Amino acid sequence: MRSLTINRFSPLSYAGAEAVNMLCTNLSFSGENVKRIMFTSCHASEGKSYLSMNVMRTMAKLGRSVVLVDADLRRSNIVQRYGIQFENDEQPVGLSHLLAGMVDEASVIYETNILGAYMIPVGRKVSNSLPLLNSARFQQLLNDLAEQFDYVIVDAPPIGLVIDAAQIAKYMDGTVLVVGYNSVRRQELADAKEQIAATGCPILGAVMNQTEYDNYLSKKY
């Protein structure tokens, strides 16, 4: 199996770590059939990739086997933001290569330097991603991953910007909507909820991100 190293994983504050721990605990109580979980948001820069990566890491530390699928085929920045280095692989392959039929599934699953955590990087970014996400290969990949791992975390594009997330949601067991504090209008949230619900994918909940804690136990938060 190919491997990669995540070099820039920002440490969480105590409050942040407790919040992510609580999120992972709540997800584990969503039911034994909820294994494929999509993270999306209304806008870019609300922290969906940040939450996806931290959920992957925390789930792995809790003893789960987890794989993160970077499905933001148009503008993913996980590789750059987290300083991901591909070991002994000058030309790494990823999800776009698999969906285009260039490689097989085994070629795109990378073992990370976090025990129990695996990743499928985006590969080459593409501008017309919908046909790839609508292919039978993508659904088969998610089914196969659900059999191999305890959890499949999918980092999807913002559902308020492109249709990709709605297409991905069709294959998911549940969706988590990441909401940037004081940056999303009520109607935008309602529209995102309706768009996800129309796919038949349950909304597991929402995470309010980009808040500051004066006191973790403060009831106003």
Side-chain angles (χ1 to χ4, degrees), residues 57-159:
R57 176 172 63 172
T58 302
M59 286 286 198
K61 288 183 177 180
L62 293 174
R64 309 289 199 276
S65 62
V66 56
V67 58
L68 185 144
V69 180
D70 186 355
D72 194 350
L73 296 179
R74 299 174 191 259
R75 50 172 300 177
S76 171
N77 61 4
I78 285 181
V79 170
Q80 294 76 19
R81 178 176 296 178
Y82 289 89
I84 291 177
Q85 179 181 358
F86 296 90
E87 304 295 337
N88 303 320
D89 198 346
E90 296 181 356
Q91 294 183 332
V93 294
L95 181 62
S96 60
H97 296 89
L98 171 67
L99 300 184
M102 298 178 180
V103 296
D104 59 13
E105 290 184 9
S107 300
V108 300
I109 302 175
Y110 288 77
E111 184 177 15
T112 76
N113 53 323
I114 302 171
L115 182 64
Y118 299 79
M119 288 185 66
I120 296 181
V122 72
R124 180 178 178 179
K125 297 177 185 178
V126 294
S127 57
N128 187 21
S129 54
L130 191 58
L132 296 178
L133 296 172
N134 195 35
S135 69
R137 289 191 183 94
F138 187 50
Q139 184 175 10
Q140 185 62 51
L141 169 67
L142 295 172
N143 291 340
D144 293 343
L145 293 176
E147 293 182 359
Q148 297 177 50
F149 298 93
D150 295 328
Y151 289 98
V152 181
I153 305 299
V154 177
D155 180 30
I159 197 162

Side-chain angles (χ1 to χ4, degrees), residues 22-37 59 64 146 149-153 172-176 202-205:
M22 184 180 298
L23 173 60
C24 291
T25 299
N26 290 339
L27 290 175
S28 67
F29 278 96
S30 296
E32 61 181 359
N33 294 325
V34 179
K35 303 184 66 173
R36 296 167 295 187
I37 303 172
M59 286 286 198
R64 309 289 199 276
F149 298 93
D150 295 328
Y151 289 98
V152 181
I153 305 299
M172 296 290 104
D173 300 321
T175 294
V176 175
I203 298 178
L204 303 177

